[in-house]
């Protein structure tokens, strides 16, 4: 596989661009292709079979576009479909999951909040990770119902998001959490609002940088790192409305290539 082939990234919508940002910053030579499956968002309220089928569809589309590795930039897709993807495709597949381990290892209050989708919280992989690293920790799991559609619509700073966050944070703060783990790749776009609502004693953790570092390690292991600067990132969405994706990927006043794609 050519070193200059693209890194393929998919998510249930625009949220995985938070992962793309970390990858693009750490690996600026790499060409990236991003699939926003906004037509089927949110994944977190679908059945496992539905999530697996959507993950297969996205994976095969990225393979058809020439991806050398694939990043599942969706916690729900990772926790429900990663075993199937790795068992059925030969190229490296990198996954994202809630950063429970660092929160559990560093908490002083022995109370950690997890804000995630229902699909992630109900998954076998999430349960296994929690049992492995957080046996003696009070884990307060909260389903962030309604947050993904608001972010998909570009309303992450809106009044409805603030109302929902206050509702979801209350049981965590009542248990005196000092770490909040964001278990959905959409949620890093809520960090400014979360910082307004949380005491300064609470540390917010997401998985973006860890995924970028793992991507770099995988590329080096398989000798797949780009050897020269590549084309600008390409973003595809199957939503008729390109504006939320267009707004969210503007970086340093540079607008990357954004297109509608029926997948």
């Amino acid at each position: 596989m050519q070193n200059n082939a693209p890194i393929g990234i998919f998510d249930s919508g625009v949220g995985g661009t938070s992962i793309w940002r970390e990858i693009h910053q750490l690996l600026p030579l790499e060409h990236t292709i991003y699939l926003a499956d906004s037509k089927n968002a949110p994944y977190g309220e679908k059945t496992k079979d539905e999530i697996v089928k959507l993950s297969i569809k996205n994976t095969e589309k990225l393979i058809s576009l020439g991806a050398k590795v694939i990043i599942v930039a969706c916690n729900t897709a990772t926790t429900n479909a990663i075993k199937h993807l790795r068992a059925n495709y030969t190229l490296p597949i990198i996954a994202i999951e809630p950063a429970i381990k660092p929160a559990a290892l560093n908490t002083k209050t022995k109370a950690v909040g997890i804000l995630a989708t229902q699909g992630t919280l109900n998954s076998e992989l999430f349960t296994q990770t929690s049992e492995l690293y957080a046996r003696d920790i009070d884990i307060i799991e909260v389903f962030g119902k309604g947050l993904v559609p608001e972010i998909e619509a570009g309303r992450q700073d809106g009044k409805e998001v603030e109302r929902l966050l206050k509702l979801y944070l209350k049981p965590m703060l009542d248990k005196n959490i000092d770490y909040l783990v964001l278990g959905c790749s959409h949620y890093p776009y809520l960090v400014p609002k979360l910082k307004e609502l949380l005491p300064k004693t609470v540390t917010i953790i997401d998985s973006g940088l860890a995924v970028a570092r793992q991507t770099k390690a995988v590329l080096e292991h398989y000798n797949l790192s780009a050897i020269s600067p590549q084309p600008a990132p390409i973003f595809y969405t199957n939503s008729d409305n390109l504006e939320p994706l267009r707004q969210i990927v503007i970086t340093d006043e540079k607008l990357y290539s954004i297109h509608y794609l029926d997948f």
Side-chain angles (χ1 to χ4, degrees):
M1 187 172 288
Q2 296 182 350
N3 292 72
N4 291 338
I7 296 171
I9 306 167
F10 79 81
D11 181 43
S12 61
V14 303
T17 55
S18 64
I19 307 298
W20 165 80
R21 253 177 230 287
E22 298 285 0
I23 293 166
H24 185 62
Q25 184 172 346
L26 186 64
L27 302 167
L29 294 184
E30 298 288 346
H31 178 35
T32 50
I33 295 177
Y34 182 92
L35 292 186
D37 190 16
S38 294
K39 182 171 65 177
N40 293 299
Y43 282 9
E45 298 173 41
K46 298 185 183 300
T47 66
K48 179 173 181 177
D49 286 345
E50 289 173 327
I51 295 164
V52 170
K53 287 177 182 177
L54 290 169
S55 298
I56 291 170
K57 175 200 65 148
N58 296 334
T59 297
E60 293 187 348
K61 175 56 69 173
L62 287 171
I63 290 172
S64 74
L65 293 170
K68 60 184 177 182
V69 301
I70 289 176
I71 297 166
V72 183
C74 174
N75 293 85
T76 303
T78 292
T79 51
N80 287 273
I82 193 61
K83 286 184 180 179
H84 179 90
L85 296 180
R86 286 176 172 161
N88 287 277
Y89 298 96
T90 57
L91 78 172
I93 299 178
I94 299 163
I96 176 177
E97 58 184 280
I100 299 171
K101 181 180 178 180
L105 290 176
N106 290 288
T107 177
K108 299 294 191 299
T109 65
K110 301 299 181 182
V112 170
I114 310 284
L115 185 63
T117 67
Q118 194 68 60
T120 294
L121 295 175
N122 289 345
S123 68
E124 180 183 354
L125 180 57
F126 178 82
T127 300
Q128 291 174 345
T129 305
S130 296
E131 290 176 349
L132 182 61
Y133 297 113
R135 289 181 180 177
D136 301 321
I137 306 297
D138 190 5
I139 300 293
I140 301 92
E141 302 173 5
V142 177
F143 166 31
K145 183 176 177 60
L147 291 175
V148 168
E150 291 297 306
I151 297 167
E152 284 290 312
R155 297 191 293 264
Q156 56 267 31
D157 297 322
K159 291 183 178 179
E160 177 63 7
V161 165
E162 182 170 346
R163 183 188 72 81
L164 290 172
L165 287 178
K166 286 179 178 178
L167 178 67
Y168 300 151
L169 293 174
K170 186 178 186 305
M172 302 182 188
L173 295 175
D174 287 346
K175 291 293 185 72
N176 195 31
I177 65 163
D178 59 354
Y179 278 84
L180 172 63
V181 178
L182 303 182
C184 173
S185 57
H186 282 74
Y187 294 172
Y189 290 109
L190 301 176
V191 168
K193 182 62 66 175
L194 285 167
K195 286 185 175 179
E196 289 179 15
L197 300 174
L198 288 168
K200 293 182 180 180
T201 53
V202 177
T203 300
I204 302 170
I205 300 182
D206 70 78
S207 304
L209 181 56
V211 173
R213 287 171 174 166
Q214 177 65 7
T215 302
K216 183 175 186 291
V218 167
L219 292 177
E220 291 173 350
H221 176 78
Y222 289 99
N223 194 27
L224 290 173
S225 300
I227 54 179
S228 60
Q230 296 306 298
I234 300 175
F235 296 84
Y236 293 108
T237 177
N238 52 19
S239 169
D240 294 333
N241 183 9
L242 305 185
E243 196 56 32
L245 186 58
R246 181 175 288 120
Q247 289 181 0
I248 215 161
V249 300
I250 293 176
T251 305
D252 297 330
E253 299 183 355
K254 179 179 181 182
L255 182 62
Y256 297 112
S257 177
I258 300 172
H259 308 277
Y260 170 81
L261 181 66
D262 186 14
F263 64 93

